[in-house]
Amino acid sequence: MSPKQSLTATNLAVYQHLSCDLYIHNVYNGTGISNSSNGTSSPSELSKAQYQRGLDWEGILYSWLDRSDLLLKVPAIPLEASTLLENILADGRKHFYITGLTFWPPKHALEKKFRQMGSEPLTFGLAKPDLLEIIRIGDEVQWRVIDAKASKHVKPSHHIQIYFYTLCLNHLLRQPPFHWSNSAGVWLPPNDGFDVASPSIDDIKTISMSLLAPPLDTLLFRDLPRVITSPFDEIKWHYNPLCRGCRYETDCRTRAEKQGELGSMPNISIDDARALKDLLRISRTGSFNSNASNDRLTDIEDLHELVRNQTKFSRLSKSSPTIVKKTKQILSLPKKIRAHQEIESPIVEAARTKSIQVCPNELNNAHILTSSKVIPRRNYTCPSREDTAVMISIVDDPSSPSSKQSRFHVSAYPKKTPISCSATDIVSNLANLIRLLEAEKTTTQFYVWSSTEQTLLQTHIIHAALTSSASNDDVRVCIGALAQGASLLQTTFQPILLSGALLTFLGKGKRTKAEYKVCLQRMGLPTDGTVEVLRKRIESEIKRLQEQSGTAAHHERRKELGQLPRVVVLKKEIERQLALPIPGYWDLPECAATLNKTRNLCPTDEQVFTAYKHADMETLEYLLTCRNASMFVVLKELRKRAVSAFSGASFLVNEAKVLSTQFMDICKEPHIRKLFFMQQFEVLAKLTELWQSRIDSCPEAPTLEFIGVTQGRNGIEYSFRLISGTVDVPSSDKEYAFFDKLLVEDTPSDEEGGGGDNLPVEVLFDDLGVSGLLFPLNRYTKLHWEKQHARVQQEILVADVRNVYMDAERQHTMVTVRTWGTTNKSILKQGSVYRLSPRLVDFNTTKILSALFEIDLTWESEKEYYGEEEDDTHYGVPFLQLIIDPASFGGVSGSADAKQYVKTEGDIQKLFRDLKGLGNEKAGSLVLKASQHRATQRILSNRLSVIWGPPGTGKTYTISLSLLRLIEVERRLYGPRPKIVFITAITHAAIEACRTKLLRLMDAYRSIENLPRQWLEQVKVEVVTKGSDHPAPPKGGTSVHVYAGTIYQLYNFTKKHKIDVDLIIVDEAGQISLGSLSLVLRCLTLEGRIIIAGDSEQLAPILSAQYPLLKTHALFGSVLDSLMFSRSSARLKDKTISPSSSMGDEYDLAASSQGTIVQLTENFRLNPDLGEFVSTIYSRQFKPQKVQARQLAAALGTLAIEDLHASPPLGIPLSVLEPVQSFLIALSDVMYKQPQTVLVAPEVHSVTPENLLTGTSEVAVTHRPVSLALIQLKTSSLRTLQVGYEMHVHGEAAVAAALVMSLHRCCPDDNIFVATPHRIQREAVKSALSKIKMNDQRPEAPIENMFSRLSIDDASSRSKITVDTIERLQGSEASFVICLFSLPRASTTDLGFLLERRRLNVAISRAKTLCILISSEAVLCPSVKVLANEETAKGYAFLKAYEQRAWSYSLNVNVDTLT
């Protein structure tokens, strides 16, 4: 093959897609053996179809641009910049797109960049970007590259193309007149398909070139030349599923098998291979290398020897647990390995031996099984048997813009007439088959081969439901039997949730006859009779549901472990259970041929698609029949092999069920139905996660050794020593002891791989049966426990963690728990080891379902009342108004209009401002800042107000004072009258903050002489801690009753007493799910007000499942997300109510806010430069209300006078402590504006106008405030070339501990947070801090004493030093915050999590004085793959903005010194 000696942008894109150095080396140098040499070079029909899809999308896009008068076509010949400029200037349009542009890359400019990187220059071929966007602004021509791609998402391969084009054009199109926009875009097709929807400029996914530049410049100008110029034998490569269709595939497959490479195992991704290579590299170095002869084994043989060497593998598990954990997952090794347990990897052995593997229990069989290796793993997602197996094959055309052209073939075994039809007829045909099978009342299971086919099937059913392309009955039957969501909620689990919801609904006092009738109609029951008859009919049905869930369904749940999916993906089950000796990857033909060599009739995808493309229906049906038959054969072969080698029991622990299409769908309003479904699905998602863990014997559960019994504050507690894993310190912000753990003795018999009676006892635990009960159980609730499996009652204790602490010698972590069970004493044995795993605790789902159901009934009754006359589909129901059309709440109504409200409040504001001017300090606390005042006016003017409160902007103060202003204004305008106000949030801390702030402001009112106080004395503030017992507000009177409580306790309160609420204030709304808000919003009066406060840039509620991003409404997130990011909120943001101009600028609401959503801008927590940085992700810049005190510079400077060598602290190496103190001393020098050589100055300095600092502090700003600092951490070791994750975490923790110690010594009165994304980081920092001992002869050692109080039994535990995860620190603040966001180069799979912008924002914005962020090159300069995700790219941009503004310090830590 002749050398090409040049690269195109397409070559770069393929290289990025394959992540294969060998590909790019071969392409450039003409090396390697391509498929053309063996006659397979012609593209397949599938490849041609995929290529055609891209051409079709480009054609439609260009046609649309042309019709929109936005397209300029230039000749498809290489153009000079001058010629291009002539074309642009000759065009009179201000905005258009150029197509046909072709140019030669600027050779000399690129060579210069290669030389700067110390690389040999490479040659690039002709460049042909799809589009060049042009915007003319005066004489300036602004441009950016746009590439049209027919995929659903942006990919890294797209980024490298547009970056290369942009890089070249930036050198060719000189300024002036050309101006680069510093961005490029990928134009994707509409989500609905480009055959039905027109292109939209909104579908251009923009990426900043400054974000792409660091990783891609390194790749193009340093890494690529090194790869291309290296010898062929030194090039890294890995044969894997991405290689399918590559021109060098055949050669790589042969080499992988011959050389024993990792690619000789199937389905080992590039990330998997990297992890395995890391493990092998560590095992071959230092003390781990036991190969005396130094003979190099193949990778497969090396893995074989390593896994069998239990001593060595155990040592590796301790030194590099993360890599070993991933290795176990890749190689299907037991997650728990006992002492003296012989293990081997089925994956490795199948690739290594390439011979028939016979399990011991199969030796008695009359025939020899083929060469597959069984993975000893229990499986609850594939049934061990069924009466009827239904195989579904789907042919999809990649060239089609949508899946409407798909072809379906359905075969049922035992033989029934097959179905072969188009997508148009599949729903009706499937419905008929399902009815037939349902009538037979036999067990049935549906199967598809691949996840792609499963997605296509679900898509077609949903499409039929949305478009009415099939009858409603047929759609409902298919949804009930096949839809992955609805079917999971039927029969077994739904009755428990629904019966509870209906009971809760009926328990809210009297209901009207109309409500009873609607409820019965939803339940499919008769609606005739009196109110009492209707009520008893509902109660009877609830009793039936309870009996169903308590008897038949309970036994069904006990019989079924986990839950079978309605459609099983067969390929996924084969991968999970069998190890096939097929290199690289395999599909159905290879799988069928390996498992059953005597029956090899399975067609390839290419053969099937060729018949489909040529419209040869007879051949197509025959091929699909053969394909379905092969699937059935594969299924039988799987069952034959998936048995325990020891007991002979099947690893497939479930059997198929009788087909049922019935499920209860009792809500009608579309948005309520979605939320109703989501609440139920959340329960199921949590259960699914528990099932998967339990069936594998809870491998991630911490293990504890029982020490003895102690006396706790609330009774007997049990002490354990932590052996492995981590146990979270329980939150002090909870109402009850939840007993949310299961405590079980950890015995070898529970190991995964056992079958039959060896099932872990947790698998038999019925979570739903006791999920809503308070432990310890009483004599009534104990009946539910007695329905648990006999083994559960005998072997399981439910446990509540009371404390986690270090023992007296600081050697071991101790855990104390309370337990409840049938036999406490007989289960716990001193010295025995137990595992602690979670159980489902859920007190609230039935409450939310009941509230949603009640709102749905209200909606239907209002709908019947208004009929077709009402344009709004929410019919004035507040909860639905909030979702569908927030702007419909409108302004206040009554005798006084919004202008009078605002004017009256303005007079009050002026009064307190005047009093403040006269020296009254108390009055000063009642004067609102500018943005706070705008928020208050918005609250007074509108029924719905959204207060967007970024960190430190006084959100709680604003809503508290706004409430008092509202009460006073209404008293002035209307006189005394009763009012009910709810203040709610998700946490007790937020509620207590609101209550405390409100009472302080009321005291401030009272302290000012000669003010009218009568209205204030009628404001009664109560905290609802136990809603079911809280007294109801008195009837009559003129008092304002303010009730503060969690949404759940306020719900219990309104359930006990029928209360109409006039105002609901929701604080921390970014943490409350939309469905949960229904608990309190159902009580709002028709003219009631809502105040929503929170920050959409902080962490949202954690959901257990993933939900679709709907087109118009953000239903599946927080309340705040719903209001700020739904399309329906656009009207909300535009809505303004402007008072008369005579009030002046201060009262001009329209001129200074975002409509009803108002952002607070005065910042009382963050220093100017920290506040300025954080405000970059908000719509308005913060106005700092404080500056950094000069004392900080002096305090940090005191570290310079310490002699660490004279009295070094124990527990932390001087090699870490000395550079950390040098870093802090240099910060002091910077603050004093003194020269220093340690820190790198920021690229971007504060641009906060000096007038914003006026009056913020009495201390003159005579020094340079420094609030952002960055430590770029690099960990190294002499024992290994690459530091593993755990070793790096210990290095990171040592730096954090040194920072904590140093900051605490110089600023002992200030609080310090260490914010960690992961628990492993938290535990590492705690461990490092616990080892520090000071040698300065002082009476007490502050670090030890401060940190030892991090025990939940100590009320002052959060007073000084707090180490915790970012989620748990949200809502709190400290003077100093140390954020741990670093990773080693060897472990970057977690970058997406670290680079979530909200997580970064929460961590950084906890700081009041100084934020120190510890990061690393792997995070600050990640692979371009990370940036393909739009949300991750936002987080990375935020991190880079921090880096540009921070004083930076590079720190190298040798982790060898830490052990």
Side-chain angles (χ1 to χ4, degrees):
M1 182 174 177
S2 59
K4 180 178 179 179
Q5 293 296 322
S6 69
L7 295 174
T8 65
T10 303
N11 295 143
L12 296 175
V14 174
Y15 170 55
Q16 192 72 9
H17 169 70
L18 296 176
S19 294
C20 180
D21 289 350
L22 187 60
Y23 165 81
I24 204 73
H25 181 278
N26 286 342
V27 166
Y28 194 88
N29 296 308
T31 53
I33 302 173
S34 70
N35 295 341
S36 59
S37 60
N38 55 26
T40 60
S41 60
S42 60
S44 66
E45 289 291 338
L46 280 167
S47 299
K48 288 189 284 187
Q50 291 164 349
Y51 181 67
Q52 186 60 44
R53 174 181 168 83
L55 293 179
D56 291 344
W57 164 234
E58 288 180 14
I60 286 175
L61 176 59
Y62 296 164
S63 177
W64 177 80
L65 287 171
D66 202 16
R67 293 195 306 273
S68 304
D69 195 27
L70 289 172
L71 191 67
L72 171 64
K73 298 178 182 178
V74 298
I77 56 174
L79 292 181
E80 298 291 336
S82 57
T83 307
L84 179 61
L85 180 60
E86 289 178 10
N87 280 271
I88 293 172
L89 295 179
D91 195 299
R93 293 171 293 185
K94 297 295 185 183
H95 181 212
F96 54 92
Y97 298 83
I98 298 175
T99 184
L101 179 64
T102 304
F103 59 88
W104 289 105
K107 184 177 180 180
H108 296 297
L110 295 180
E111 284 181 354
K112 184 178 179 181
K113 288 189 71 74
F114 280 114
R115 302 291 185 200
Q116 289 172 347
M117 288 280 197
S119 303
E120 284 296 317
L122 301 179
T123 303
F124 293 97
L126 206 59
K128 303 176 182 178
D130 291 334
L131 293 167
L132 190 69
E133 183 179 21
I134 299 295
I135 298 177
R136 292 179 58 182
I137 304 172
D139 294 333
E140 186 178 273
V141 178
Q142 194 173 85
W143 62 270
R144 68 168 177 166
V145 172
I146 305 288
D147 241 22
K149 299 296 180 183
S151 57
K152 293 182 178 180
H153 308 286
V154 176
K155 301 176 181 178
S157 56
H158 304 158
H159 280 161
I160 196 169
Q161 280 187 287
I162 60 176
Y163 181 75
F164 178 72
Y165 292 142
T166 301
L167 182 68
C168 294
L169 287 172
N170 202 27
H171 290 286
L172 295 172
L173 305 180
R174 298 288 185 179
Q175 297 186 41
F178 290 105
H179 178 73
W180 175 38
S181 66
N182 193 31
S183 69
V186 178
W187 204 326
L188 300 179
N191 288 331
D192 295 333
F194 55 83
D195 57 333
V196 294
S198 296
S200 169
I201 292 177
D202 293 337
D203 290 324
I204 299 176
K205 304 301 179 183
T206 300
I207 182 72
S208 167
M209 291 296 99
S210 59
L211 293 184
L212 293 180
L216 287 182
D217 278 350
T218 301
L219 176 70
L220 289 171
F221 300 106
R222 188 191 69 185
D223 297 343
L224 264 184
R226 188 169 56 204
V227 168
I228 287 173
T229 57
S230 295
F232 179 82
D233 292 339
E234 296 179 8
I235 302 299
K236 294 179 181 179
W237 63 284
H238 170 61
Y239 185 53
N240 68 94
L242 289 176
C243 298
R244 186 195 301 262
C246 174
R247 66 175 80 171
Y248 306 106
E249 179 185 0
T250 304
D251 183 41
C252 291
R253 179 189 179 100
T254 303
R255 288 179 63 196
E257 287 188 282
K258 184 177 179 181
Q259 298 175 9
E261 300 284 348
L262 297 178
S264 59
M265 298 182 289
N267 301 317
I268 304 295
S269 70
I270 292 173
D271 285 338
D272 291 344
R274 190 175 291 119
L276 293 176
K277 286 283 190 181
D278 285 342
L279 182 70
L280 291 175
R281 176 181 45 75
I282 295 171
S283 71
R284 292 165 179 164
T285 58
S287 60
F288 291 110
N289 187 9
S290 57
N291 185 356
S293 64
N294 289 322
D295 293 336
R296 181 64 182 271
L297 302 175
T298 66
D299 287 344
I300 293 297
E301 289 293 340
D302 213 347
L303 283 173
H304 166 75
E305 294 295 333
L306 175 60
V307 170
R308 289 173 63 89
N309 188 335
Q310 189 189 25
T311 303
K312 185 174 181 179
F313 198 72
S314 177
R315 289 175 57 208
L316 282 168
S317 298
K318 293 178 181 178
S319 66
S320 303
T322 301
I323 294 178
V324 172
K325 178 182 174 182
K326 186 172 179 63
T327 297
K328 289 179 179 180
Q329 180 182 355
I330 297 168
L331 300 182
S332 297
L333 294 169
K335 294 178 182 177
K336 286 184 180 179
I337 301 175
R338 305 277 179 181
H340 311 299
Q341 177 185 358
E342 292 187 6
I343 61 169
E344 63 179 23
S345 164
I347 309 290
V348 172
E349 296 309 305
R352 174 177 164 269
T353 61
K354 299 182 179 64
S355 60
I356 296 175
Q357 303 290 326
V358 183
C359 295
N361 61 297
E362 296 163 346
L363 290 173
N364 296 328
N365 292 349
H367 62 282
I368 300 296
L369 298 178
T370 56
S371 54
S372 65
K373 187 73 176 176
V374 179
I375 299 171
R377 177 185 294 154
R378 297 185 193 99
N379 182 313
Y380 69 83
T381 54
C382 183
S384 59
R385 65 170 302 278
E386 70 278 305
D387 296 319
T388 304
V390 181
M391 304 291 166
I392 303 176
S393 285
I394 307 174
V395 186
D396 187 48
D397 186 355
S399 66
S400 175
S402 66
S403 57
K404 297 175 185 176
Q405 307 301 318
S406 300
R407 188 79 185 173
F408 290 77
H409 193 82
V410 183
S411 306
Y413 301 89
K415 292 292 185 181
K416 285 183 170 58
T417 305
I419 298 170
S420 186
C421 64
S422 65
T424 307
D425 302 321
I426 187 58
V427 169
S428 57
N429 281 314
L430 272 177
N432 291 334
L433 174 62
I434 291 167
R435 292 188 186 99
L436 176 64
L437 294 171
E438 189 175 19
E440 293 178 355
K441 297 189 180 301
T442 56
T443 59
T444 303
Q445 184 65 57
F446 287 81
Y447 297 88
V448 293
W449 173 248
S450 67
S451 298
T452 302
E453 288 174 291
Q454 183 195 38
T455 302
L456 283 170
L457 179 62
Q458 301 294 322
T459 300
H460 282 290
I461 294 173
I462 295 170
H463 178 77
L466 295 177
T467 61
S468 302
S469 58
S471 74
N472 289 335
D473 287 343
D474 289 346
V475 170
R476 186 177 179 83
V477 165
C478 287
I479 288 176
L482 302 174
Q484 194 60 23
S487 60
L488 289 172
L489 298 172
Q490 68 180 6
T491 309
T492 307
F493 299 98
Q494 202 183 31
I496 301 177
L497 299 176
L498 288 188
S499 61
L502 291 170
L503 270 178
T504 306
F505 169 73
L506 289 182
K508 295 176 188 157
K510 287 186 177 182
R511 293 288 176 187
T512 65
K513 185 175 182 179
E515 287 176 321
Y516 287 139
K517 289 178 71 174
V518 172
C519 184
L520 285 164
Q521 186 180 22
R522 302 284 179 86
M523 299 168 74
L525 299 173
T527 59
D528 58 307
T530 64
V531 169
E532 189 61 25
V533 169
L534 298 179
R535 180 179 178 87
K536 288 185 175 179
R537 191 173 292 152
I538 295 175
E539 288 175 344
S540 177
E541 176 64 10
I542 293 174
K543 186 177 180 181
R544 186 190 70 80
L545 285 170
Q546 288 179 318
E547 290 174 352
Q548 177 184 345
S549 62
T551 56
H554 173 76
H555 294 301
E556 184 71 19
R557 292 199 306 279
R558 183 183 297 173
K559 180 180 177 183
E560 182 182 3
L561 303 176
Q563 194 168 46
L564 284 168
R566 281 310 176 91
V567 181
V568 171
V569 180
L570 195 50
K571 183 179 182 182
K572 189 186 299 181
E573 304 304 328
I574 300 292
E575 289 175 341
R576 181 179 295 151
Q577 218 66 50
L578 299 180
L580 305 182
I582 304 172
Y585 60 89
W586 49 262
D587 215 327
L588 181 56
E590 295 86 0
C591 178
T594 302
L595 294 178
N596 192 321
K597 296 183 181 298
T598 61
R599 181 185 175 91
N600 186 15
L601 299 175
C602 184
T604 64
D605 289 349
E606 178 67 15
Q607 290 171 323
V608 171
F609 185 72
T610 300
Y612 167 83
K613 204 64 179 174
H614 294 165
D616 186 352
M617 292 298 111
E618 182 178 350
T619 302
L620 179 62
E621 286 189 27
Y622 169 75
L623 292 174
L624 291 177
T625 300
C626 292
R627 187 177 191 269
N628 284 352
S630 296
M631 287 169 58
F632 188 56
V633 168
V634 165
L635 175 63
K636 290 192 294 183
E637 294 293 334
L638 167 64
R639 288 171 175 164
K640 191 185 299 182
R641 289 167 169 77
V643 292
S644 170
F646 304 101
S647 66
S650 175
F651 290 128
L652 310 179
V653 296
N654 284 324
E655 294 184 0
K657 297 183 295 185
V658 174
L659 187 61
S660 172
T661 62
Q662 300 302 312
F663 65 99
M664 197 176 294
D665 185 13
I666 63 174
C667 290
K668 300 300 180 186
E669 201 282 327
H671 302 87
I672 298 292
R673 287 178 70 185
K674 291 183 177 72
L675 288 171
F676 201 85
F677 167 81
M678 172 199 166
Q679 294 299 328
Q680 297 176 81
F681 199 78
E682 275 294 290
V683 173
L684 192 64
K686 293 172 185 174
L687 285 173
T688 301
E689 186 177 349
L690 291 174
W691 293 332
Q692 184 59 62
S693 173
R694 290 171 183 174
I695 209 163
D696 290 339
S697 303
C698 305
E700 305 301 325
T703 55
L704 314 167
E705 180 187 355
F706 180 48
I707 301 300
V709 181
T710 60
Q711 181 64 43
R713 289 187 299 183
N714 298 311
I716 296 296
E717 295 178 353
Y718 300 92
S719 295
F720 295 82
R721 179 171 63 86
L722 183 65
I723 296 177
S724 67
T726 59
V727 177
D728 274 341
V729 177
S731 171
S732 59
D733 188 27
K734 63 179 184 179
E735 300 165 36
Y736 308 102
F738 285 159
F739 287 84
D740 55 349
K741 299 290 192 293
L742 301 180
L743 190 67
V744 176
E745 188 171 2
D746 195 40
T747 59
S749 61
D750 288 336
E751 287 306 320
E752 59 181 345
D757 296 333
N758 276 344
L759 287 169
V761 66
E762 294 99 326
V763 170
L764 305 173
F765 183 76
D766 179 15
D767 290 83
L768 281 179
V770 294
S771 65
L773 302 181
L774 282 175
F775 282 82
L777 301 179
N778 57 39
R779 61 176 179 172
Y780 302 107
T781 55
K782 194 174 180 180
L783 296 173
H784 294 271
W785 179 261
E786 292 170 353
K787 293 179 182 179
Q788 294 279 355
H789 193 282
R791 278 189 64 198
V792 169
Q793 297 184 57
Q794 294 167 6
E795 301 175 30
I796 285 183
L797 297 176
V798 291
D800 186 71
V801 177
R802 304 302 300 158
N803 202 3
V804 181
Y805 60 97
M806 299 296 294
D807 64 3
E809 290 76 26
R810 295 183 177 272
Q811 296 297 316
H812 303 290
T813 300
M814 305 300 293
V815 181
T816 57
V817 303
R818 289 180 63 196
T819 65
W820 186 94
T822 308
T823 52
N824 267 21
K825 294 182 180 179
S826 62
I827 292 180
L828 294 177
K829 304 168 187 174
Q830 194 166 7
S832 294
V833 176
Y834 298 81
R835 57 178 179 263
L836 192 70
S837 62
R839 73 175 182 93
L840 176 69
V841 177
D842 183 7
F843 298 103
N844 302 316
T845 295
T846 55
K847 297 175 184 177
I848 297 172
L849 294 177
S850 175
L852 290 171
F853 181 52
E854 180 182 356
I855 292 171
D856 192 63
L857 293 184
T858 303
W859 169 79
E860 187 166 39
S861 62
E862 292 296 318
K863 180 182 178 183
E864 291 178 359
Y865 175 79
Y866 286 108
E868 301 298 326
E869 299 177 3
E870 185 73 17
D871 293 332
D872 294 320
T873 57
H874 51 71
Y875 298 105
V877 178
F879 183 69
L880 288 172
Q881 282 183 270
L882 197 73
I883 296 172
I884 299 172
D885 186 10
S888 66
F889 279 101
V892 296
S893 60
S895 57
D897 62 12
K899 293 180 181 179
Q900 288 178 287
Y901 270 84
V902 171
K903 186 177 186 307
T904 305
E905 190 280 332
D907 294 340
I908 297 172
Q909 170 80 349
K910 184 176 185 301
L911 169 65
F912 287 121
R913 191 170 53 213
D914 291 344
L915 289 172
K916 178 185 177 183
L918 295 173
N920 191 315
E921 293 182 5
K922 291 292 184 180
S925 66
L926 299 173
V927 177
L928 291 155
K929 299 292 184 181
S931 71
Q932 296 173 338
H933 195 206
R934 289 194 291 271
T936 299
Q937 292 177 322
R938 188 69 64 217
I939 289 169
L940 267 64
S941 306
N942 291 275
R943 288 183 55 217
L944 170 65
S945 304
V946 181
I947 310 304
W948 186 8
T953 52
K955 169 175 54 64
T956 303
Y957 167 85
T958 302
I959 58 179
S960 299
L961 188 52
S962 296
L963 171 59
L964 294 179
R965 291 279 173 94
L966 175 63
I967 295 170
E968 184 175 4
V969 167
E970 289 188 338
R971 292 290 168 128
R972 289 191 183 189
L973 295 176
Y974 298 113
R977 60 182 184 180
K979 191 180 188 73
I980 301 292
V981 178
F982 277 3
I983 298 177
T984 191
I986 200 72
T987 65
H988 293 285
I991 293 161
E992 178 60 22
C994 282
R995 185 195 72 86
T996 303
K997 188 70 69 175
L998 185 61
L999 293 178
R1000 286 178 181 172
L1001 291 171
M1002 292 172 66
D1003 289 341
Y1005 261 93
R1006 293 189 183 99
S1007 68
I1008 301 175
E1009 297 181 359
N1010 301 322
L1011 284 182
R1013 299 191 187 89
Q1014 185 176 4
W1015 68 272
L1016 194 60
E1017 302 308 321
Q1018 291 187 316
V1019 178
K1020 314 296 181 183
V1021 182
E1022 301 177 36
V1023 176
V1024 181
T1025 55
K1026 196 169 183 181
S1028 55
D1029 296 337
H1030 202 89
K1035 295 182 179 179
T1038 58
S1039 295
V1040 176
H1041 290 273
V1042 180
Y1043 296 98
T1046 65
I1047 50 178
Y1048 306 113
Q1049 291 304 336
L1050 289 180
Y1051 171 81
N1052 292 337
F1053 183 44
T1054 58
K1055 177 185 172 184
K1056 182 72 176 293
H1057 313 289
K1058 184 173 175 57
I1059 300 174
D1060 292 328
V1061 183
D1062 301 291
L1063 168 62
I1064 295 176
I1065 299 173
V1066 184
D1067 195 13
E1068 301 294 353
Q1071 300 179 47
I1072 300 177
S1073 68
L1074 189 57
S1076 300
L1077 190 63
S1078 65
L1079 293 170
V1080 291
L1081 217 56
R1082 45 176 278 280
C1083 303
L1084 189 70
T1085 62
L1086 292 177
E1087 295 299 321
R1089 296 173 183 259
I1090 306 172
I1091 301 173
I1092 304 290
D1095 181 10
S1096 62
E1097 286 294 341
Q1098 299 200 38
L1099 292 171
I1102 299 173
L1103 299 177
S1104 299
Q1106 291 187 335
Y1107 300 95
L1109 183 63
L1110 304 179
K1111 293 181 181 178
T1112 55
H1113 302 97
L1115 288 182
F1116 306 127
S1118 71
V1119 175
L1120 204 59
D1121 287 344
S1122 174
L1123 288 167
M1124 298 191 70
F1125 303 125
S1126 294
R1127 292 188 184 178
S1128 59
S1129 66
R1131 287 176 58 195
L1132 175 69
K1133 293 181 181 179
D1134 293 339
K1135 180 179 173 57
T1136 57
I1137 299 176
S1138 302
S1140 61
S1141 58
S1142 62
M1143 297 179 185
D1145 291 342
E1146 183 180 355
Y1147 302 101
D1148 186 359
L1149 310 187
S1152 55
S1153 73
Q1154 305 170 48
T1156 305
I1157 299 176
V1158 181
Q1159 182 196 318
L1160 303 180
T1161 55
E1162 291 83 15
N1163 201 288
F1164 303 88
R1165 176 195 301 169
L1166 308 175
N1167 285 327
D1169 50 347
L1170 187 54
E1172 182 186 57
F1173 160 66
V1174 173
S1175 69
T1176 58
I1177 59 174
Y1178 294 90
S1179 60
R1180 295 180 179 276
Q1181 185 180 356
F1182 297 165
K1183 297 177 181 177
Q1185 304 299 302
K1186 58 173 282 188
V1187 295
Q1188 193 177 75
R1190 183 183 179 88
Q1191 287 85 343
L1192 176 62
L1196 294 178
T1198 61
L1199 295 172
I1201 63 176
E1202 292 191 12
D1203 187 353
L1204 293 176
H1205 292 275
S1207 57
L1210 302 178
I1212 185 165
L1214 286 178
S1215 60
V1216 174
L1217 185 57
E1218 284 184 326
V1220 162
Q1221 293 205 351
S1222 297
F1223 159 74
L1224 294 174
I1225 294 167
L1227 280 179
S1228 173
D1229 291 336
V1230 169
M1231 294 175 190
Y1232 275 130
K1233 302 180 182 178
Q1234 298 295 320
Q1236 55 82 37
T1237 58
V1238 174
L1239 304 180
V1240 177
E1243 299 175 22
V1244 179
H1245 288 281
S1246 174
V1247 293
T1248 304
E1250 289 188 8
N1251 63 313
L1252 290 182
L1253 298 175
T1254 304
T1256 57
S1257 174
E1258 295 179 1
V1259 180
V1261 188
T1262 57
H1263 67 294
R1264 173 186 287 160
V1266 174
S1267 303
L1268 289 82
L1270 173 67
I1271 294 179
Q1272 298 190 37
L1273 176 64
K1274 181 180 180 182
T1275 51
S1276 60
S1277 171
L1278 297 176
R1279 302 171 186 169
T1280 178
L1281 293 175
Q1282 289 185 318
V1283 174
Y1285 178 68
E1286 283 77 16
M1287 296 170 68
H1288 177 86
V1289 166
H1290 285 299
E1292 181 186 59
V1295 175
L1299 284 167
V1300 169
M1301 192 202 77
S1302 302
L1303 289 170
H1304 181 69
R1305 285 174 71 92
C1306 60
C1307 302
D1309 297 326
D1310 288 306
N1311 290 358
I1312 303 171
F1313 282 176
V1314 181
T1316 69
H1318 293 295
R1319 292 192 301 171
I1320 185 175
Q1321 295 169 290
R1322 179 189 66 190
E1323 298 307 313
V1325 175
K1326 285 184 176 182
S1327 177
L1329 284 171
S1330 67
K1331 296 174 183 176
I1332 297 177
K1333 294 183 182 295
M1334 310 301 294
N1335 285 340
D1336 54 1
Q1337 306 302 317
R1338 288 180 295 178
E1340 63 175 15
I1343 292 294
E1344 295 177 78
N1345 292 333
M1346 290 299 173
F1347 190 70
S1348 65
R1349 290 207 297 265
L1350 288 180
S1351 160
I1352 64 167
D1353 286 336
D1354 194 326
S1356 63
S1357 63
R1358 294 176 67 89
S1359 61
K1360 291 297 176 187
I1361 301 169
T1362 304
V1363 184
D1364 218 332
T1365 59
I1366 295 166
E1367 284 79 1
R1368 288 165 62 118
L1369 291 176
Q1370 182 162 300
S1372 52
E1373 61 183 32
S1375 297
F1376 303 105
V1377 175
I1378 303 164
C1379 307
L1380 308 188
F1381 280 82
S1382 70
L1383 284 174
R1385 271 291 176 197
S1387 179
T1388 57
T1389 55
D1390 197 36
L1391 272 172
F1393 179 81
L1394 285 187
L1395 292 176
E1396 183 185 0
R1397 189 169 76 179
R1398 293 187 182 193
R1399 178 166 286 102
L1400 280 161
N1401 183 37
V1402 170
I1404 294 168
S1405 62
R1406 300 308 93 203
K1408 295 191 295 182
T1409 301
L1410 175 64
C1411 177
I1412 301 173
L1413 190 142
I1414 301 176
S1415 194
S1416 60
E1417 185 186 14
V1419 180
L1420 294 170
C1421 189
S1423 163
V1424 70
K1425 292 182 179 180
V1426 175
L1427 305 179
N1429 181 287
E1430 193 171 354
E1431 291 303 312
T1432 305
K1434 288 181 182 178
Y1436 179 62
F1438 189 54
L1439 179 63
K1440 293 299 285 185
Y1442 184 98
E1443 182 185 16
Q1444 291 172 341
R1445 291 165 170 79
W1447 290 84
S1448 300
Y1449 179 63
S1450 295
L1451 176 58
N1452 193 340
V1453 173
N1454 184 346
V1455 294
D1456 299 338
T1457 64
L1458 306 178
T1459 56

